[in-house]
Amino acid sequence: MTERSQYAGNLDKVLDSIRQLPSLPGLVVELLENFGDENVNIATLANKIAHDQALVARLMRVANSPFYGVSGQIGSISEAIAMLGFTNVRGLVLTAGLINVFTGMEKYFDWRAFWRHNVAAAVCAKLLAGGTGLNPDAAFTAGLLHDIGKLVMWSCFPHDVARLGELSEESGLSPLQLERETFGFDHTLLGSEVAKRWNFPVDIQHAIALHHTHYLPGGGKTMADVIYTANLLAETLQDDEVCEARQLQVNGVAWSRLKLDGERLAKLTAQARRQFQSTMPLLSD
Protein backbone atom coordinates (compact mmCIF):
# COMPACT_ATOMS: atom_id res chain seq x y z
CA MET A 1 0.00 0.00 0.00
CA THR A 2 1.18 3.52 -0.68
CA GLU A 3 2.27 6.03 1.92
CA ARG A 4 -0.42 8.61 2.45
CA SER A 5 0.28 12.00 0.94
CA GLN A 6 0.76 15.02 3.19
CA TYR A 7 -2.41 16.32 1.55
CA ALA A 8 -4.49 13.19 2.14
CA GLY A 9 -8.06 13.95 3.04
CA ASN A 10 -7.69 17.68 2.56
CA LEU A 11 -8.84 18.56 -0.94
CA ASP A 12 -9.07 22.28 -0.25
CA LYS A 13 -5.44 22.32 0.85
CA VAL A 14 -4.43 20.61 -2.38
CA LEU A 15 -6.34 23.09 -4.50
CA ASP A 16 -4.97 26.06 -2.58
CA SER A 17 -1.42 24.74 -2.88
CA ILE A 18 -1.49 24.27 -6.65
CA ARG A 19 0.88 26.92 -7.92
CA GLN A 20 2.11 25.20 -11.07
CA LEU A 21 -1.34 24.53 -12.51
CA PRO A 22 -1.61 26.75 -15.59
CA SER A 23 -4.34 29.31 -15.93
CA LEU A 24 -6.67 28.82 -18.85
CA PRO A 25 -6.02 31.21 -21.75
CA GLY A 26 -8.62 33.93 -22.15
CA LEU A 27 -9.67 32.50 -25.51
CA VAL A 28 -10.37 29.07 -24.01
CA VAL A 29 -12.38 30.65 -21.20
CA GLU A 30 -14.38 32.66 -23.74
CA LEU A 31 -15.12 29.56 -25.79
CA LEU A 32 -16.30 27.73 -22.69
CA GLU A 33 -18.58 30.60 -21.81
CA ASN A 34 -20.02 31.01 -25.30
CA PHE A 35 -20.56 27.53 -26.74
CA GLY A 36 -24.26 27.76 -25.90
CA ASP A 37 -24.64 31.26 -27.30
CA GLU A 38 -26.23 31.25 -30.75
CA ASN A 39 -25.47 34.96 -31.15
CA VAL A 40 -21.71 34.68 -30.62
CA ASN A 41 -19.71 37.02 -32.85
CA ILE A 42 -17.86 34.57 -35.07
CA ALA A 43 -15.69 37.23 -36.73
CA THR A 44 -14.45 38.53 -33.38
CA LEU A 45 -13.60 35.06 -32.08
CA ALA A 46 -11.90 34.15 -35.37
CA ASN A 47 -9.71 37.24 -35.04
CA LYS A 48 -8.73 36.26 -31.49
CA ILE A 49 -7.96 32.70 -32.58
CA ALA A 50 -5.75 34.01 -35.38
CA HIS A 51 -3.49 35.81 -32.88
CA ASP A 52 -2.49 32.56 -31.11
CA GLN A 53 0.07 31.10 -33.48
CA ALA A 54 0.67 27.88 -31.54
CA LEU A 55 -3.05 27.19 -31.56
CA VAL A 56 -3.43 28.12 -35.23
CA ALA A 57 -0.61 25.74 -36.18
CA ARG A 58 -2.40 22.76 -34.61
CA LEU A 59 -5.73 23.77 -36.08
CA MET A 60 -4.35 24.15 -39.60
CA ARG A 61 -2.89 20.64 -39.46
CA VAL A 62 -6.36 19.26 -38.76
CA ALA A 63 -8.18 21.47 -41.25
CA ASN A 64 -5.82 20.42 -44.02
CA SER A 65 -5.86 16.72 -43.15
CA PRO A 66 -7.03 14.25 -45.82
CA PHE A 67 -10.15 13.56 -43.75
CA TYR A 68 -11.75 16.82 -44.89
CA GLY A 69 -10.72 16.42 -48.52
CA VAL A 70 -9.18 19.89 -48.78
CA SER A 71 -5.54 19.10 -48.05
CA GLY A 72 -3.36 22.17 -48.49
CA GLN A 73 -6.24 24.48 -49.39
CA ILE A 74 -6.99 26.09 -46.01
CA GLY A 75 -4.62 28.85 -45.02
CA SER A 76 -6.50 30.90 -42.43
CA ILE A 77 -8.96 30.62 -39.57
CA SER A 78 -11.63 32.32 -41.66
CA GLU A 79 -11.19 29.74 -44.41
CA ALA A 80 -11.29 26.92 -41.85
CA ILE A 81 -14.57 28.23 -40.44
CA ALA A 82 -16.05 28.62 -43.91
CA MET A 83 -15.02 25.08 -44.88
CA LEU A 84 -15.57 23.18 -41.62
CA GLY A 85 -18.23 25.26 -39.88
CA PHE A 86 -17.81 27.29 -36.71
CA THR A 87 -19.01 24.52 -34.39
CA ASN A 88 -16.30 22.12 -35.60
CA VAL A 89 -13.62 24.79 -35.50
CA ARG A 90 -14.63 25.85 -31.99
CA GLY A 91 -14.27 22.29 -30.73
CA LEU A 92 -10.88 21.91 -32.40
CA VAL A 93 -9.68 25.24 -31.02
CA LEU A 94 -10.76 24.29 -27.51
CA THR A 95 -8.89 20.99 -27.83
CA ALA A 96 -5.74 22.59 -29.23
CA GLY A 97 -5.83 25.35 -26.62
CA LEU A 98 -6.00 22.90 -23.73
CA ILE A 99 -3.26 20.72 -25.22
CA ASN A 100 -1.01 23.78 -25.49
CA VAL A 101 -1.71 24.71 -21.86
CA PHE A 102 -0.30 21.43 -20.62
CA THR A 103 2.66 20.95 -22.96
CA GLY A 104 6.03 20.41 -21.31
CA MET A 105 4.85 17.55 -19.07
CA GLU A 106 6.21 14.80 -21.31
CA LYS A 107 8.83 13.79 -18.75
CA TYR A 108 6.09 12.93 -16.28
CA PHE A 109 3.56 11.00 -18.33
CA ASP A 110 2.44 9.99 -21.81
CA TRP A 111 0.49 13.14 -22.69
CA ARG A 112 -0.34 11.90 -26.19
CA ALA A 113 -2.04 8.80 -24.79
CA PHE A 114 -3.90 11.01 -22.32
CA TRP A 115 -5.21 13.34 -25.02
CA ARG A 116 -5.94 10.50 -27.42
CA HIS A 117 -8.34 9.08 -24.87
CA ASN A 118 -9.91 12.41 -23.97
CA VAL A 119 -10.36 13.48 -27.59
CA ALA A 120 -11.94 10.10 -28.33
CA ALA A 121 -14.30 10.57 -25.38
CA ALA A 122 -15.17 14.08 -26.61
CA VAL A 123 -16.03 12.82 -30.09
CA CYS A 124 -18.17 10.02 -28.65
CA ALA A 125 -19.89 12.38 -26.23
CA LYS A 126 -20.81 14.83 -28.98
CA LEU A 127 -22.38 12.09 -31.09
CA LEU A 128 -24.17 10.53 -28.12
CA ALA A 129 -25.59 13.90 -27.06
CA GLY A 130 -27.08 14.41 -30.51
CA GLY A 131 -29.75 11.83 -29.76
CA THR A 132 -30.57 12.97 -26.23
CA GLY A 133 -31.53 16.62 -26.61
CA LEU A 134 -28.36 17.71 -24.78
CA ASN A 135 -26.02 20.36 -26.18
CA PRO A 136 -23.46 18.52 -28.38
CA ASP A 137 -20.84 21.27 -27.92
CA ALA A 138 -21.16 21.06 -24.14
CA ALA A 139 -20.90 17.26 -24.34
CA PHE A 140 -17.75 17.55 -26.47
CA THR A 141 -16.22 19.87 -23.89
CA ALA A 142 -17.17 17.63 -20.98
CA GLY A 143 -15.68 14.61 -22.76
CA LEU A 144 -12.51 16.53 -23.50
CA LEU A 145 -12.11 17.56 -19.87
CA HIS A 146 -13.43 14.51 -18.01
CA ASP A 147 -9.94 13.40 -16.90
CA ILE A 148 -8.64 16.88 -16.05
CA GLY A 149 -8.13 15.67 -12.49
CA LYS A 150 -5.46 13.26 -13.75
CA LEU A 151 -3.56 16.14 -15.33
CA VAL A 152 -3.64 18.02 -12.05
CA MET A 153 -2.39 14.98 -10.16
CA TRP A 154 0.43 14.46 -12.65
CA SER A 155 1.31 18.14 -12.52
CA CYS A 156 1.41 18.31 -8.72
CA PHE A 157 2.42 14.81 -7.60
CA PRO A 158 4.29 13.20 -10.52
CA HIS A 159 6.31 10.77 -8.43
CA ASP A 160 3.36 9.60 -6.31
CA VAL A 161 1.15 9.13 -9.35
CA ALA A 162 3.88 7.31 -11.31
CA ARG A 163 3.87 4.60 -8.64
CA LEU A 164 0.14 3.97 -8.79
CA GLY A 165 0.27 1.92 -12.00
CA GLU A 166 2.77 -0.52 -10.52
CA LEU A 167 0.89 -0.69 -7.25
CA SER A 168 -2.36 -1.41 -9.04
CA GLU A 169 -0.84 -4.48 -10.68
CA GLU A 170 0.74 -5.64 -7.42
CA SER A 171 -2.27 -5.08 -5.15
CA GLY A 172 -5.14 -5.78 -7.55
CA LEU A 173 -6.76 -2.52 -6.48
CA SER A 174 -8.18 -0.17 -9.08
CA PRO A 175 -6.39 3.11 -9.86
CA LEU A 176 -9.30 5.00 -8.31
CA GLN A 177 -8.96 3.07 -5.06
CA LEU A 178 -5.23 3.70 -4.96
CA GLU A 179 -5.74 7.41 -5.62
CA ARG A 180 -8.05 7.57 -2.62
CA GLU A 181 -5.57 5.63 -0.46
CA THR A 182 -2.70 7.90 -1.50
CA PHE A 183 -4.33 11.32 -1.61
CA GLY A 184 -7.61 10.95 0.23
CA PHE A 185 -9.55 11.67 -2.97
CA ASP A 186 -9.52 10.53 -6.59
CA HIS A 187 -9.15 12.29 -9.94
CA THR A 188 -12.91 12.52 -10.49
CA LEU A 189 -13.44 14.60 -7.36
CA LEU A 190 -10.30 16.65 -7.93
CA GLY A 191 -11.28 17.27 -11.55
CA SER A 192 -14.75 18.45 -10.64
CA GLU A 193 -13.34 20.85 -8.05
CA VAL A 194 -10.82 22.24 -10.53
CA ALA A 195 -13.64 22.65 -13.05
CA LYS A 196 -15.59 24.56 -10.40
CA ARG A 197 -12.67 26.87 -9.74
CA TRP A 198 -12.27 27.41 -13.47
CA ASN A 199 -15.97 28.34 -13.62
CA PHE A 200 -17.01 25.53 -15.96
CA PRO A 201 -20.79 25.02 -16.32
CA VAL A 202 -22.35 22.98 -13.51
CA ASP A 203 -23.41 20.10 -15.76
CA ILE A 204 -19.78 19.70 -16.90
CA GLN A 205 -18.60 19.74 -13.27
CA HIS A 206 -21.08 16.95 -12.46
CA ALA A 207 -20.14 14.92 -15.53
CA ILE A 208 -16.46 15.06 -14.55
CA ALA A 209 -17.29 13.99 -11.01
CA LEU A 210 -19.45 11.05 -12.13
CA HIS A 211 -17.63 9.69 -15.19
CA HIS A 212 -16.66 6.49 -13.32
CA THR A 213 -19.93 6.18 -11.41
CA HIS A 214 -22.02 3.11 -12.17
CA TYR A 215 -25.48 3.47 -13.60
CA LEU A 216 -28.26 4.13 -11.11
CA PRO A 217 -31.73 2.84 -12.14
CA GLY A 218 -34.22 5.60 -12.72
CA GLY A 219 -31.63 8.15 -13.77
CA GLY A 220 -32.45 10.49 -16.61
CA LYS A 221 -30.49 11.35 -19.72
CA THR A 222 -27.98 13.74 -18.21
CA MET A 223 -24.58 14.97 -19.27
CA ALA A 224 -23.11 12.58 -16.70
CA ASP A 225 -24.82 9.64 -18.46
CA VAL A 226 -23.33 10.72 -21.77
CA ILE A 227 -19.80 11.14 -20.41
CA TYR A 228 -19.87 7.85 -18.48
CA THR A 229 -20.82 6.05 -21.67
CA ALA A 230 -18.43 8.05 -23.85
CA ASN A 231 -15.55 7.21 -21.50
CA LEU A 232 -16.15 3.50 -22.07
CA LEU A 233 -16.78 3.86 -25.77
CA ALA A 234 -13.59 5.90 -26.22
CA GLU A 235 -11.50 2.94 -25.15
CA THR A 236 -12.94 0.85 -27.97
CA LEU A 237 -12.04 3.49 -30.58
CA GLN A 238 -8.36 3.24 -29.73
CA ASP A 239 -8.09 -0.55 -29.97
CA ASP A 240 -7.53 -2.23 -33.30
CA GLU A 241 -9.36 -5.26 -31.93
CA VAL A 242 -12.04 -4.60 -29.32
CA CYS A 243 -12.39 -7.44 -26.86
CA GLU A 244 -15.86 -8.94 -26.76
CA ALA A 245 -16.27 -8.32 -23.03
CA ARG A 246 -15.55 -4.61 -23.44
CA GLN A 247 -17.96 -4.28 -26.36
CA LEU A 248 -20.70 -6.01 -24.36
CA GLN A 249 -20.07 -3.65 -21.46
CA VAL A 250 -20.39 -0.62 -23.75
CA ASN A 251 -23.56 -2.02 -25.31
CA GLY A 252 -25.14 -2.67 -21.93
CA VAL A 253 -24.31 0.77 -20.57
CA ALA A 254 -25.45 2.60 -23.69
CA TRP A 255 -28.75 0.74 -23.83
CA SER A 256 -29.43 1.27 -20.12
CA ARG A 257 -28.47 4.91 -19.92
CA LEU A 258 -29.29 6.28 -23.36
CA LYS A 259 -31.56 3.61 -24.83
CA LEU A 260 -29.42 3.09 -27.92
CA ASP A 261 -30.23 0.02 -29.99
CA GLY A 262 -27.48 -2.13 -31.46
CA GLU A 263 -27.77 -0.74 -35.00
CA ARG A 264 -27.57 2.88 -33.94
CA LEU A 265 -24.69 2.19 -31.55
CA ALA A 266 -22.76 0.45 -34.33
CA LYS A 267 -23.28 3.42 -36.67
CA LEU A 268 -22.30 5.85 -33.93
CA THR A 269 -19.13 3.89 -33.19
CA ALA A 270 -18.12 3.86 -36.86
CA GLN A 271 -18.77 7.58 -37.19
CA ALA A 272 -16.89 8.33 -33.98
CA ARG A 273 -13.90 6.30 -35.15
CA ARG A 274 -13.68 8.34 -38.37
CA GLN A 275 -13.96 11.66 -36.56
CA PHE A 276 -11.47 10.57 -33.93
CA GLN A 277 -8.87 9.74 -36.57
CA SER A 278 -9.43 13.13 -38.22
CA THR A 279 -8.43 14.96 -35.04
CA MET A 280 -5.13 13.15 -34.48
CA PRO A 281 -3.07 15.87 -36.25
CA LEU A 282 -3.81 17.99 -33.18
CA LEU A 283 -1.33 15.84 -31.27
CA SER A 284 1.51 16.37 -33.73
CA ASP A 285 4.44 18.50 -32.61
Side-chain angles (χ1 to χ4, degrees), residues 67-80:
F67 177 81
Y68 293 107
V70 290
S71 182
Q73 298 180 36
I74 297 179
S76 69
I77 296 298
S78 296
E79 291 176 357

mmCIF file with all atom_site columns, all heavy atoms in Angstrom, residues 67-80:
data_model
loop_
_atom_site.group_PDB
_atom_site.id
_atom_site.type_symbol
_atom_site.label_atom_id
_atom_site.label_alt_id
_atom_site.label_comp_id
_atom_site.label_asym_id
_atom_site.label_entity_id
_atom_site.label_seq_id
_atom_site.pdbx_PDB_ins_code
_atom_site.Cartn_x
_atom_site.Cartn_y
_atom_site.Cartn_z
_atom_site.occupancy
_atom_site.B_iso_or_equiv
_atom_site.pdbx_formal_charge
_atom_site.auth_seq_id
_atom_site.auth_comp_id
_atom_site.auth_asym_id
_atom_site.auth_atom_id
_atom_site.pdbx_PDB_model_num
ATOM 1  N N   . PHE A 1 67 ? -8.784  13.882 -44.173 1.00 0.00 ? 67 PHE A N   1
ATOM 2  C CA  . PHE A 1 67 ? -10.150 13.563 -43.753 1.00 0.00 ? 67 PHE A CA  1
ATOM 3  C C   . PHE A 1 67 ? -11.161 14.536 -44.338 1.00 0.00 ? 67 PHE A C   1
ATOM 4  O O   . PHE A 1 67 ? -12.265 14.147 -44.718 1.00 0.00 ? 67 PHE A O   1
ATOM 5  C CB  . PHE A 1 67 ? -10.232 13.589 -42.220 1.00 0.00 ? 67 PHE A CB  1
ATOM 6  C CG  . PHE A 1 67 ? -11.614 13.338 -41.683 1.00 0.00 ? 67 PHE A CG  1
ATOM 7  C CD1 . PHE A 1 67 ? -12.112 12.048 -41.571 1.00 0.00 ? 67 PHE A CD1 1
ATOM 8  C CD2 . PHE A 1 67 ? -12.424 14.391 -41.285 1.00 0.00 ? 67 PHE A CD2 1
ATOM 9  C CE1 . PHE A 1 67 ? -13.386 11.813 -41.068 1.00 0.00 ? 67 PHE A CE1 1
ATOM 10 C CE2 . PHE A 1 67 ? -13.703 14.164 -40.792 1.00 0.00 ? 67 PHE A CE2 1
ATOM 11 C CZ  . PHE A 1 67 ? -14.177 12.867 -40.682 1.00 0.00 ? 67 PHE A CZ  1
ATOM 12 N N   . TYR A 1 68 ? -10.817 15.807 -44.423 1.00 0.00 ? 68 TYR A N   1
ATOM 13 C CA  . TYR A 1 68 ? -11.751 16.816 -44.894 1.00 0.00 ? 68 TYR A CA  1
ATOM 14 C C   . TYR A 1 68 ? -11.697 17.027 -46.399 1.00 0.00 ? 68 TYR A C   1
ATOM 15 O O   . TYR A 1 68 ? -12.473 17.810 -46.953 1.00 0.00 ? 68 TYR A O   1
ATOM 16 C CB  . TYR A 1 68 ? -11.508 18.151 -44.172 1.00 0.00 ? 68 TYR A CB  1
ATOM 17 C CG  . TYR A 1 68 ? -11.834 18.075 -42.696 1.00 0.00 ? 68 TYR A CG  1
ATOM 18 C CD1 . TYR A 1 68 ? -10.821 18.057 -41.743 1.00 0.00 ? 68 TYR A CD1 1
ATOM 19 C CD2 . TYR A 1 68 ? -13.147 18.002 -42.250 1.00 0.00 ? 68 TYR A CD2 1
ATOM 20 C CE1 . TYR A 1 68 ? -11.112 17.979 -40.390 1.00 0.00 ? 68 TYR A CE1 1
ATOM 21 C CE2 . TYR A 1 68 ? -13.444 17.913 -40.905 1.00 0.00 ? 68 TYR A CE2 1
ATOM 22 C CZ  . TYR A 1 68 ? -12.429 17.901 -39.978 1.00 0.00 ? 68 TYR A CZ  1
ATOM 23 O OH  . TYR A 1 68 ? -12.710 17.805 -38.640 1.00 0.00 ? 68 TYR A OH  1
ATOM 24 N N   . GLY A 1 69 ? -10.777 16.368 -47.067 1.00 0.00 ? 69 GLY A N   1
ATOM 25 C CA  . GLY A 1 69 ? -10.725 16.421 -48.525 1.00 0.00 ? 69 GLY A CA  1
ATOM 26 C C   . GLY A 1 69 ? -10.280 17.748 -49.097 1.00 0.00 ? 69 GLY A C   1
ATOM 27 O O   . GLY A 1 69 ? -10.532 18.035 -50.275 1.00 0.00 ? 69 GLY A O   1
ATOM 28 N N   . VAL A 1 70 ? -9.632  18.584 -48.282 1.00 0.00 ? 70 VAL A N   1
ATOM 29 C CA  . VAL A 1 70 ? -9.179  19.892 -48.777 1.00 0.00 ? 70 VAL A CA  1
ATOM 30 C C   . VAL A 1 70 ? -7.717  20.108 -48.425 1.00 0.00 ? 70 VAL A C   1
ATOM 31 O O   . VAL A 1 70 ? -7.290  21.214 -48.123 1.00 0.00 ? 70 VAL A O   1
ATOM 32 C CB  . VAL A 1 70 ? -10.040 21.033 -48.198 1.00 0.00 ? 70 VAL A CB  1
ATOM 33 C CG1 . VAL A 1 70 ? -11.431 21.014 -48.784 1.00 0.00 ? 70 VAL A CG1 1
ATOM 34 C CG2 . VAL A 1 70 ? -10.109 20.948 -46.668 1.00 0.00 ? 70 VAL A CG2 1
ATOM 35 N N   . SER A 1 71 ? -6.940  19.051 -48.465 1.00 0.00 ? 71 SER A N   1
ATOM 36 C CA  . SER A 1 71 ? -5.542  19.103 -48.055 1.00 0.00 ? 71 SER A CA  1
ATOM 37 C C   . SER A 1 71 ? -4.789  20.227 -48.761 1.00 0.00 ? 71 SER A C   1
ATOM 38 O O   . SER A 1 71 ? -4.783  20.323 -49.987 1.00 0.00 ? 71 SER A O   1
ATOM 39 C CB  . SER A 1 71 ? -4.871  17.760 -48.353 1.00 0.00 ? 71 SER A CB  1
ATOM 40 O OG  . SER A 1 71 ? -3.526  17.773 -47.918 1.00 0.00 ? 71 SER A OG  1
ATOM 41 N N   . GLY A 1 72 ? -4.174  21.098 -47.957 1.00 0.00 ? 72 GLY A N   1
ATOM 42 C CA  . GLY A 1 72 ? -3.357  22.174 -48.492 1.00 0.00 ? 72 GLY A CA  1
ATOM 43 C C   . GLY A 1 72 ? -4.125  23.381 -48.977 1.00 0.00 ? 72 GLY A C   1
ATOM 44 O O   . GLY A 1 72 ? -3.522  24.355 -49.438 1.00 0.00 ? 72 GLY A O   1
ATOM 45 N N   . GLN A 1 73 ? -5.441  23.384 -48.840 1.00 0.00 ? 73 GLN A N   1
ATOM 46 C CA  . GLN A 1 73 ? -6.243  24.478 -49.386 1.00 0.00 ? 73 GLN A CA  1
ATOM 47 C C   . GLN A 1 73 ? -6.668  25.506 -48.346 1.00 0.00 ? 73 GLN A C   1
ATOM 48 O O   . GLN A 1 73 ? -7.122  26.592 -48.693 1.00 0.00 ? 73 GLN A O   1
ATOM 49 C CB  . GLN A 1 73 ? -7.501  23.918 -50.063 1.00 0.00 ? 73 GLN A CB  1
ATOM 50 C CG  . GLN A 1 73 ? -7.216  23.003 -51.242 1.00 0.00 ? 73 GLN A CG  1
ATOM 51 C CD  . GLN A 1 73 ? -8.496  22.485 -51.884 1.00 0.00 ? 73 GLN A CD  1
ATOM 52 O OE1 . GLN A 1 73 ? -9.485  23.201 -51.949 1.00 0.00 ? 73 GLN A OE1 1
ATOM 53 N NE2 . GLN A 1 73 ? -8.478  21.237 -52.337 1.00 0.00 ? 73 GLN A NE2 1
ATOM 54 N N   . ILE A 1 74 ? -6.550  25.179 -47.065 1.00 0.00 ? 74 ILE A N   1
ATOM 55 C CA  . ILE A 1 74 ? -6.991  26.089 -46.012 1.00 0.00 ? 74 ILE A CA  1
ATOM 56 C C   . ILE A 1 74 ? -5.779  26.789 -45.405 1.00 0.00 ? 74 ILE A C   1
ATOM 57 O O   . ILE A 1 74 ? -4.888  26.143 -44.864 1.00 0.00 ? 74 ILE A O   1
ATOM 58 C CB  . ILE A 1 74 ? -7.781  25.337 -44.927 1.00 0.00 ? 74 ILE A CB  1
ATOM 59 C CG1 . ILE A 1 74 ? -9.048  24.737 -45.538 1.00 0.00 ? 74 ILE A CG1 1
ATOM 60 C CG2 . ILE A 1 74 ? -8.140  26.269 -43.777 1.00 0.00 ? 74 ILE A CG2 1
ATOM 61 C CD1 . ILE A 1 74 ? -9.885  23.952 -44.568 1.00 0.00 ? 74 ILE A CD1 1
ATOM 62 N N   . GLY A 1 75 ? -5.772  28.110 -45.489 1.00 0.00 ? 75 GLY A N   1
ATOM 63 C CA  . GLY A 1 75 ? -4.616  28.854 -45.019 1.00 0.00 ? 75 GLY A CA  1
ATOM 64 C C   . GLY A 1 75 ? -4.904  29.840 -43.901 1.00 0.00 ? 75 GLY A C   1
ATOM 65 O O   . GLY A 1 75 ? -3.995  30.517 -43.427 1.00 0.00 ? 75 GLY A O   1
ATOM 66 N N   . SER A 1 76 ? -6.152  29.947 -43.481 1.00 0.00 ? 76 SER A N   1
ATOM 67 C CA  . SER A 1 76 ? -6.497  30.905 -42.435 1.00 0.00 ? 76 SER A CA  1
ATOM 68 C C   . SER A 1 76 ? -7.657  30.380 -41.607 1.00 0.00 ? 76 SER A C   1
ATOM 69 O O   . SER A 1 76 ? -8.363  29.453 -42.009 1.00 0.00 ? 76 SER A O   1
ATOM 70 C CB  . SER A 1 76 ? -6.885  32.257 -43.048 1.00 0.00 ? 76 SER A CB  1
ATOM 71 O OG  . SER A 1 76 ? -8.127  32.153 -43.739 1.00 0.00 ? 76 SER A OG  1
ATOM 72 N N   . ILE A 1 77 ? -7.849  30.992 -40.434 1.00 0.00 ? 77 ILE A N   1
ATOM 73 C CA  . ILE A 1 77 ? -8.957  30.620 -39.570 1.00 0.00 ? 77 ILE A CA  1
ATOM 74 C C   . ILE A 1 77 ? -10.285 30.877 -40.255 1.00 0.00 ? 77 ILE A C   1
ATOM 75 O O   . ILE A 1 77 ? -11.217 30.071 -40.177 1.00 0.00 ? 77 ILE A O   1
ATOM 76 C CB  . ILE A 1 77 ? -8.897  31.397 -38.241 1.00 0.00 ? 77 ILE A CB  1
ATOM 77 C CG1 . ILE A 1 77 ? -7.635  31.010 -37.454 1.00 0.00 ? 77 ILE A CG1 1
ATOM 78 C CG2 . ILE A 1 77 ? -10.130 31.117 -37.394 1.00 0.00 ? 77 ILE A CG2 1
ATOM 79 C CD1 . ILE A 1 77 ? -7.569  29.547 -37.064 1.00 0.00 ? 77 ILE A CD1 1
ATOM 80 N N   . SER A 1 78 ? -10.391 31.994 -40.958 1.00 0.00 ? 78 SER A N   1
ATOM 81 C CA  . SER A 1 78 ? -11.632 32.317 -41.661 1.00 0.00 ? 78 SER A CA  1
ATOM 82 C C   . SER A 1 78 ? -11.966 31.253 -42.698 1.00 0.00 ? 78 SER A C   1
ATOM 83 O O   . SER A 1 78 ? -13.130 30.845 -42.835 1.00 0.00 ? 78 SER A O   1
ATOM 84 C CB  . SER A 1 78 ? -11.524 33.685 -42.332 1.00 0.00 ? 78 SER A CB  1
ATOM 85 O OG  . SER A 1 78 ? -11.361 34.703 -41.363 1.00 0.00 ? 78 SER A OG  1
ATOM 86 N N   . GLU A 1 79 ? -10.972 30.789 -43.424 1.00 0.00 ? 79 GLU A N   1
ATOM 87 C CA  . GLU A 1 79 ? -11.192 29.738 -44.413 1.00 0.00 ? 79 GLU A CA  1
ATOM 88 C C   . GLU A 1 79 ? -11.577 28.433 -43.733 1.00 0.00 ? 79 GLU A C   1
ATOM 89 O O   . GLU A 1 79 ? -12.422 27.684 -44.233 1.00 0.00 ? 79 GLU A O   1
ATOM 90 C CB  . GLU A 1 79 ? -9.942  29.544 -45.268 1.00 0.00 ? 79 GLU A CB  1
ATOM 91 C CG  . GLU A 1 79 ? -9.646  30.714 -46.198 1.00 0.00 ? 79 GLU A CG  1
ATOM 92 C CD  . GLU A 1 79 ? -8.345  30.524 -46.956 1.00 0.00 ? 79 GLU A CD  1
ATOM 93 O OE1 . GLU A 1 79 ? -7.659  29.504 -46.713 1.00 0.00 ? 79 GLU A OE1 1
ATOM 94 O OE2 . GLU A 1 79 ? -8.009  31.396 -47.776 1.00 0.00 ? 79 GLU A OE2 1
ATOM 95 N N   . ALA A 1 80 ? -10.967 28.154 -42.587 1.00 0.00 ? 80 ALA A N   1
ATOM 96 C CA  . ALA A 1 80 ? -11.294 26.922 -41.849 1.00 0.00 ? 80 ALA A CA  1
ATOM 97 C C   . ALA A 1 80 ? -12.748 26.955 -41.393 1.00 0.00 ? 80 ALA A C   1
ATOM 98 O O   . ALA A 1 80 ? -13.469 25.950 -41.501 1.00 0.00 ? 80 ALA A O   1
ATOM 99 C CB  . ALA A 1 80 ? -10.363 26.768 -40.652 1.00 0.00 ? 80 ALA A CB  1
#
